[in-house]
Amino acid sequence: MIHRGGCACGGVRFVVYGDLAPVGACHCESCRRWSGYYWAAMEIPRRRFKLTVAGALVWWRSSAAAARGFCSRCGSSLLFDETNSPWIEISPGAFDEPTGETTTAHIFCAEAGDYYRLDDGAPRYPGFEPRG
Ligand SMILES: [Zn+2]
Ligand SMILES: [Zn+2]
């Protein structure tokens, strides 16, 4: 199965081979400012992700350990790439079709904006989601 996606203007397109993944929403200050609201992502194994049109893609190194990929033409926030991680994080809103996935966690809620309420029933964590 192939899932296709891209930015609002078509200057960045990508495919994911195989299953998508549940959505995690991040409410940290960096995600809030970068997205304009809060950012959410699916964690996909990097080997199953391929850029098919990358001409307009630019990267912003948002911390020492990660970069954020967005379209330089339309501004769509698309990718979060952590150095040396086997995963790439992809905006769920960038996919072409309904994803069939749901939001299963909210992280960094301690930094959340004051203009929305989280009532979708997914667990909320003040910082990182506890592992294990
Ligand atoms: Zn674009
Ligand atoms: Zn964040």
Side-chain angles (χ1 to χ4, degrees):
M1 197 193 313
I2 293 183
H3 298 274
R4 297 176 195 280
C7 68
C9 78
V12 182
R13 297 286 300 165
F14 60 79
V15 295
V16 168
Y17 299 97
D19 292 338
L20 297 181
V23 176
C26 184
H27 302 264
C28 81
E29 181 182 349
S30 185
C31 286
R32 173 161 57 84
R33 291 186 189 277
W34 188 56
S35 66
Y37 199 72
Y38 64 80
W39 195 59
M42 296 179 184
E43 256 189 355
I44 301 291
R46 195 183 294 275
R47 61 188 159 75
R48 294 204 283 105
F49 170 79
K50 189 180 171 211
L51 284 163
T52 52
V53 179
L57 181 65
V58 291
W59 292 94
W60 170 50
R61 182 151 288 282
S62 56
S63 75
R68 295 174 185 264
F70 62 98
C71 177
S72 61
R73 196 187 308 158
C74 71
S76 299
S77 39
L78 300 167
L79 302 167
F80 184 88
D81 186 3
E82 207 169 348
T83 309
N84 297 323
S85 167
W87 307 89
I88 183 121
E89 297 188 33
I90 308 172
S91 295
F95 285 94
D96 294 351
E97 69 251 27
T99 64
E101 300 293 338
T102 57
T103 299
T104 56
H106 295 278
I107 64 170
F108 286 93
C109 292
E111 298 175 32
D114 62 0
Y115 43 82
Y116 54 82
R117 220 178 296 285
L118 298 176
D119 53 7
D120 61 2
R124 298 180 291 233
Y125 305 103
F128 284 111
E129 184 173 359
R131 296 278 177 186

